[in-house]
Amino acid sequence: MRFGKTLRQSVYPPWKDKYIDYTKLKSLLREDRPDDDDEPWTEDDEQRFYEEIFNVQLDKVAEFQTEKVEDLRHRVDAAFEKLKELPTAEEGKPKTDADTSRLKDLEAELDAIMNEVKELQKYSNLNYTGFLKIVKKHDRKRGDRYRIRPMMMVSLSKRAFNSEQAYSPLLNKLSLLYFAIRQQLETPGAAADAYPVDPDSQPETHKGEKYTAHKFWVHPDNLLEVKTYILRRLPALVYSEQSAKEVDGQQDPTITSLYFDSPKFSLYSNKLERELEASSLRLRWYGQLSSKPDIFLEQKTLHDNGSSENRKFVIKEKYIKPFLDGEYKMEKSVQKMERQGQKAEDVDGFRSTAEAIQEFARANNLEPVVRANYRRTAFQKPGDDRVRISIDTDIAFIREDTLDKDRPCRDPKEWHRTDIDNSNMTYPFNNINQSEVSRFPYAVLEIKMKEDSNRGKRPSWIQDLMGSHLVHPCPRFSKFVQGTASLFEDYVNRLPFWLSDLDTDIRKDPQVAFEAEESRRAQRAENEQVVGSFLGTQLGSYKPTRSSPVAKSYLADRLAADSAAQTPKSATFPRRDTQGDEAGEPSTLNSNNQLEPESQPETDSAGRSTLNYGTLSSVFPGFSLSKYSRAKQAREARQRQGSIVSLPPGVTEPTEWIKNAGPLQIEPKVWLANERTFLKWQHICVLLGGLAVSLYSAGGGSGNTLAQAMGGVFVGVAVFVGAWSYWAAVKRREMIVQRSGKDFDFLLGPLVVSGALGVALVVNFVFAYRQAFAKEGGWDSMEEVVMGSNGRLRGEMGELRI
């Protein structure tokens, strides 16, 4: 379906004049003219289109959205004030008819606000997609000289357009209001255990256990810090050979998810629009398909209460295509389960799951359309699944469709791309058509917590991580949606809200990030206090965030006294991460058994680290104030005192630094930099050697012992420069191979060379000066001495030039 038709069918009548004028923009692009129109595209045409889309259409849509969000915010605040005016709950006292009527009126008002919020979200999504569609048409048809899609992406991101963050505060308040009203309208005690749902989380169900999932993006620059921060609290989950046969337990496994959809992308649209009972279907396996791993066929369904449910079973590779075609119904697997004597209910459950998934695939005409390939690192305490964390890196999306009958990406007779799986192709998939692959620029962090341990009682270290500058929240991110939107933009008429963030830098200033998080948590706590007072209960507790996991927070000073009073000074141990090894920052355990840096590197006003190069501490390591030197001294002191803190249960002492794990991967420019430095020193050695030989030869011919002596001195300096530069090059190479965190700036050589040259020049001047006065006895013949010296110098320099 064309987007113009989708836009006309989806317009909300009261706002019909506030949508993007897609028809007018297409007319300005001459989309309504035949393709053989030879009229050239001029500067005036480009200017008219630019003015219309940026200064008219985009401003119109953005201003209307801002006005509606502000209006909805005022209406929600007014509903909160009405809630305060209602009589508070008193146990044993029945509600009057007037109170019930007022509660129902308030609930109806909340329903109207919620419906308008949903319409505004659809409005934002439609216009967001329209702007991206039209600028893509522009760049494809008129983009030989002018490309405006990057400018449009920046403009959309600056306006917080189609952003989940714009609606999150509204949904939070509405969730609390609904919770309070329904608690009062229902029978007392019927929903005592209920708790308002956090809109930023996504409920899920695994093996009958309910979890809430929080998703974030992590910039590659912050990835190692996030991993090491988590490793201090949770051990890495080791995948066994049962999960991935080629994985030896020493590296993170590669996961492949093959997603299904119809030619009209109905599953994608339902998931993006959050339709009730929206489902997705995928095949999933660990490692390479050639190693014969277990393949899971999974169906994920989103229920009307916001929770999701997974149904899956294992299927052999040879049965996948017949099963999808409806020719095979897993009879052999059922018979095998019966021969093994498994329970009848388990066999019936397996049969019903397989039949339901097969019927779902056949009814919706589903086929593989996109593949997601990524490497996963998981963290979980052994035997304790209350907190489960995973980090997905090296994410790539690949087309698996057969939409183009002339050039299908996948053989229609196969259920997967054999060109990838038969050749064991891995990330970054350079051997396939690059228009068929999309590489995601960030890592995806997912935090899952059981509901019974999550109601306002998140572990403080998780709360710190979720509110830190290291992560970028993306509440409803989906690999299926992202892969489809990035590879099939011409086939779909809705795009996810997070696309504009992909073209911006998600890194944030630590101070700004924590101030925003503190403000958000304080506002939510205030709202919960109002609802709790109305219900006569306590919904949750609020404690200010102590500090960032990696940087000093503005609250650190306020909490320093408490930490110092409750934490013994000896309770320190070295950090187990690459930055900790290089930076050498010792960590302390606070009152909640959390690691916090003892000291932080000094920063200037721009937030850059101020290193002590050029100071006394950089010349004499004994007086060094660098992070590495301080860490080394701190470790030696702790070793002498024997004050290493015991590790928590389930965490073992690592035998290898994380930075040393995996194969050695060093960029060529590192080796070339070491070689370039060595050659530069050899150049200095050759120059000093040439000067020394020239001086010695000139002094021997004229009987000048001073020149001969200086030549000998310079010969010694040249030999030292050559030997020292060779030693430094070899030493630096060893440090590179060992991935050492030590400093690479060896200061002995430059100091010796500079000192020797300085001393030689001073001695030469003193002896020449004394010789000149001793020869003539005063100032009378100084002119001749100077002229003679100049003549000798000119002769020596002439020899040097030769």
Side-chain angles (χ1 to χ4, degrees):
M1 183 185 296
R2 295 286 184 178
F3 176 76
K5 184 178 180 180
T6 301
L7 180 61
R8 290 192 298 271
Q9 294 177 351
S10 305
V11 165
Y12 184 51
W15 304 342
K16 62 180 180 179
D17 296 331
K18 303 300 181 180
Y19 286 80
I20 179 177
D21 195 341
Y22 196 73
T23 303
K24 182 177 182 180
L25 292 173
K26 287 179 63 177
S27 177
L28 290 175
L29 278 180
R30 303 175 186 170
E31 286 284 318
D32 53 348
R33 302 186 185 183
D35 295 336
D36 56 356
D37 186 5
D38 296 332
E39 184 178 352
W41 183 260
T42 64
E43 289 278 356
D44 294 337
D45 297 328
E46 180 68 24
Q47 185 65 26
R48 280 195 295 271
F49 181 80
Y50 180 91
E51 289 289 337
E52 180 66 26
I53 191 171
F54 283 99
N55 298 336
V56 178
Q57 300 296 331
L58 184 57
D59 285 349
K60 175 184 69 176
V61 173
E63 289 175 3
F64 177 76
Q65 184 197 22
T66 302
E67 292 175 359
K68 292 304 297 182
V69 169
E70 193 65 25
D71 176 63
L72 290 171
R73 184 178 294 113
H74 288 318
R75 292 171 64 183
V76 172
D77 291 340
F80 242 80
E81 294 299 325
K82 292 181 180 179
L83 182 67
K84 294 179 182 179
E85 296 173 359
L86 293 174
T88 59
E90 295 184 15
E91 188 173 357
K93 182 179 180 181
K95 293 185 291 293
T96 63
D97 294 339
D99 294 339
T100 302
S101 177
R102 293 173 65 184
L103 286 171
K104 289 183 177 180
D105 291 342
L106 185 56
E107 184 181 23
E109 185 174 349
L110 293 181
D111 290 337
I113 296 175
M114 180 63 77
N115 291 333
E116 197 155 333
V117 170
K118 291 180 180 179
E119 291 296 338
L120 186 59
Q121 286 180 313
K122 294 180 181 178
Y123 169 88
S124 299
N125 183 265
L126 272 174
N127 287 281
Y128 175 82
T129 304
F131 283 119
L132 293 186
K133 290 277 188 180
I134 199 66
V135 296
K136 185 175 182 180
K137 287 179 178 291
H138 170 277
D139 291 354
R140 183 170 52 202
K141 190 171 184 178
R142 309 297 181 187
D144 295 337
R145 296 174 55 192
Y146 315 99
R147 290 192 173 272
I148 63 175
R149 182 182 173 94
M151 188 181 303
M152 175 60 69
M153 297 296 289
V154 173
S155 299
L156 292 175
S157 63
K158 286 183 177 179
R159 286 176 167 83
F161 202 79
N162 196 36
S163 172
E164 190 77 8
Q165 303 302 320
Y167 305 101
S168 182
L170 290 175
L171 296 176
N172 278 328
K173 277 194 173 184
L174 287 172
S175 175
L176 289 168
L177 284 169
Y178 271 117
F179 172 73
I181 293 174
R182 288 169 182 171
Q183 285 281 74
Q184 291 296 301
L185 290 177
E186 293 175 357
T187 304
D193 295 331
Y195 193 80
V197 178
D198 187 355
D200 293 336
S201 65
Q202 182 176 350
E204 293 185 2
T205 303
H206 296 282
K207 297 180 180 180
E209 297 286 350
K210 294 183 178 180
Y211 292 83
T212 53
H214 303 263
K215 295 183 179 180
F216 305 88
W217 292 349
V218 182
H219 193 278
D221 292 351
N222 298 330
L223 181 58
L224 186 59
E225 297 182 51
V226 172
K227 284 187 176 182
T228 52
Y229 179 76
I230 298 172
L231 277 172
R232 296 191 189 101
R233 281 84 182 177
L234 294 178
L237 181 63
V238 178
Y239 286 82
S240 63
E241 294 185 356
Q242 284 74 17
S243 298
K245 294 186 178 180
E246 84 281 1
V247 176
D248 57 3
Q250 299 299 323
Q251 59 179 355
D252 300 327
T254 299
I255 301 177
T256 301
S257 295
L258 197 61
Y259 293 98
F260 290 72
D261 209 337
S262 65
K264 295 183 179 180
F265 294 94
S266 57
L267 298 190
Y268 167 85
S269 300
N270 293 339
K271 187 174 183 64
L272 188 61
E273 297 173 10
R274 304 176 194 171
E275 297 288 345
L276 298 181
E277 302 301 323
S279 297
S280 60
L281 185 66
R282 70 180 178 185
L283 286 166
R284 179 174 178 156
W285 65 87
Y286 293 82
Q288 296 294 339
L289 196 60
S290 59
S291 62
K292 306 299 181 182
D294 291 336
I295 302 177
F296 298 89
L297 184 58
E298 304 179 2
Q299 180 186 8
K300 187 174 182 179
T301 304
L302 181 66
H303 296 301
D304 55 357
N305 60 357
S307 63
S308 63
E309 181 182 2
N310 286 341
R311 294 191 296 181
K312 64 180 180 179
F313 62 90
V314 179
I315 183 172
K316 291 185 178 181
E317 180 181 351
K318 61 182 179 180
Y319 295 138
I320 293 178
K321 183 64 174 174
F323 179 82
L324 295 176
D325 293 338
E327 301 172 359
Y328 176 68
K329 299 183 179 297
M330 304 300 295
E331 300 92 346
K332 293 185 179 180
S333 298
V334 172
Q335 294 171 4
K336 182 179 179 180
M337 295 176 66
E338 292 175 345
R339 288 196 305 268
Q340 293 176 348
Q342 297 191 23
K343 297 180 180 179
E345 54 267 23
D346 294 338
V347 177
D348 293 340
F350 177 86
R351 182 187 291 108
S352 61
T353 298
E355 291 176 353
I357 293 179
Q358 187 177 48
E359 177 62 25
F360 174 73
R362 299 283 295 168
N364 292 276
N365 192 23
L366 302 182
E367 60 180 22
V369 294
V370 65
R371 170 190 300 231
N373 185 274
Y374 48 94
R375 189 174 296 277
R376 169 161 291 183
T377 305
F379 306 89
Q380 180 182 329
K381 285 185 178 180
D384 185 356
D385 60 351
R386 289 176 298 175
V387 178
R388 304 164 59 189
I389 299 179
S390 64
I391 300 179
D392 297 335
T393 56
D394 295 343
I395 304 174
F397 303 102
I398 305 171
R399 290 184 60 166
E400 293 266 349
D401 63 284
T402 58
L403 297 177
D404 188 350
K405 302 302 181 182
D406 297 329
R407 298 181 61 184
C409 299
R410 166 181 53 84
D411 186 353
K413 298 179 181 179
E414 299 287 344
W415 62 271
H416 66 109
R417 290 187 62 159
T418 56
D419 58 335
I420 295 177
D421 294 324
N422 292 349
S423 61
N424 292 334
M425 197 181 304
T426 58
Y427 186 88
F429 300 96
N430 292 326
N431 297 332
I432 62 176
N433 190 336
Q434 293 304 292
S435 63
E436 300 173 358
V437 60
S438 173
R439 300 171 186 86
F440 194 69
Y442 305 124
V444 176
L445 168 69
E446 184 174 17
I447 302 175
K448 294 183 179 179
M449 292 173 286
K450 276 189 178 180
E451 281 194 356
D452 55 358
S453 61
N454 185 34
R455 298 179 180 177
K457 300 179 182 179
R458 298 171 184 162
S460 55
W461 66 272
I462 290 183
Q463 192 74 20
D464 287 347
L465 177 61
M466 293 170 59
S468 73
H469 66 285
L470 298 175
V471 297
H472 177 78
C474 194
R476 291 175 176 83
F477 176 78
S478 166
K479 295 185 181 69
F480 168 52
V481 172
Q482 172 61 32
T484 305
S486 59
L487 294 172
F488 300 94
E489 187 174 343
D490 292 336
Y491 293 86
V492 298
N493 292 325
R494 294 288 179 90
L495 297 176
F497 64 87
W498 59 74
L499 280 186
S500 60
D501 292 339
L502 293 178
D503 292 334
T504 60
D505 191 352
I506 64 172
R507 290 171 294 185
K508 296 172 285 188
D509 179 79
Q511 184 73 17
V512 175
F514 263 87
E515 289 176 354
E517 176 66 12
E518 283 292 296
S519 176
R520 188 188 71 83
R521 292 180 62 200
Q523 182 62 44
R524 181 170 176 82
E526 181 181 350
N527 297 338
E528 290 180 350
Q529 184 178 7
V530 172
V531 176
S533 300
F534 174 73
L535 297 175
T537 59
Q538 181 67 27
L539 292 183
S541 59
Y542 167 69
K543 293 182 180 180
T545 305
R546 291 181 302 279
S547 62
S548 167
V550 295
K552 185 177 179 63
S553 169
Y554 75 101
L555 294 173
D557 292 337
R558 188 177 69 187
L559 299 160
D562 296 338
S563 298
Q566 300 178 13
T567 305
K569 294 183 178 180
S570 60
T572 62
F573 59 92
R575 297 172 60 178
R576 298 297 186 188
D577 60 90
T578 301
Q579 182 180 2
D581 297 331
E582 294 178 359
E585 298 173 357
S587 301
T588 59
L589 285 174
N590 60 19
S591 58
N592 293 322
N593 292 328
Q594 292 184 345
L595 289 178
E596 293 185 353
E598 245 181 33
S599 60
Q600 300 293 338
E602 297 180 358
T603 57
D604 57 14
S605 59
R608 296 182 297 269
S609 177
T610 56
L611 301 178
N612 294 320
Y613 292 125
T615 63
L616 183 64
S617 61
S618 65
V619 178
F620 301 101
F623 297 95
S624 177
L625 299 177
S626 68
K627 296 181 293 183
Y628 173 75
S629 299
R630 292 200 305 269
K632 183 178 180 181
Q633 296 170 7
R635 284 196 296 270
E636 292 175 352
R638 288 194 300 272
Q639 290 173 0
R640 289 193 300 268
Q641 297 175 2
S643 57
I644 302 299
V645 173
S646 59
L647 296 174
V651 180
T652 59
E653 179 75 16
T655 59
E656 184 181 15
W657 298 116
I658 295 177
K659 65 184 180 62
N660 294 337
L664 182 65
Q665 296 179 351
I666 299 175
E667 296 183 4
K669 64 181 181 181
V670 178
W671 304 107
L672 296 178
N674 188 28
E675 181 183 1
R676 187 165 56 249
T677 305
F678 172 70
L679 293 177
K680 196 70 175 178
W681 278 106
Q682 291 299 308
H683 178 66
I684 296 174
C685 175
V686 171
L687 289 179
L688 290 176
L691 176 61
V693 172
S694 300
L695 287 176
Y696 190 85
S697 300
S702 61
N704 190 339
T705 57
L706 177 60
Q708 289 181 319
M710 295 306 300
V713 171
F714 281 115
V715 167
V717 175
V719 171
F720 172 79
V721 169
W724 181 85
S725 61
Y726 176 77
W727 173 86
V730 174
K731 187 66 175 177
R732 287 192 177 108
R733 185 187 185 282
E734 293 177 356
M735 295 173 65
I736 293 172
V737 172
Q738 296 173 0
R739 306 184 227 198
S740 174
K742 298 181 180 180
D743 297 332
F744 281 76
D745 47 346
F746 301 149
L747 300 180
L748 177 62
L751 288 177
V752 172
V753 174
S754 301
L757 290 178
V759 171
L761 292 175
V762 170
V763 171
N764 185 23
F765 176 79
V766 170
F767 276 97
Y769 184 82
R770 293 178 59 184
Q771 184 178 1
F773 273 85
K775 182 177 179 182
E776 302 297 338
W779 293 93
D780 297 336
S781 302
M782 179 57 69
E783 184 177 355
E784 296 180 7
V785 173
V786 172
M787 294 300 294
S789 299
N790 287 340
R792 288 194 298 274
L793 287 174
R794 282 195 296 272
E796 294 174 358
M797 294 303 294
E799 294 180 6
L800 284 175
R801 285 194 294 272
I802 294 172

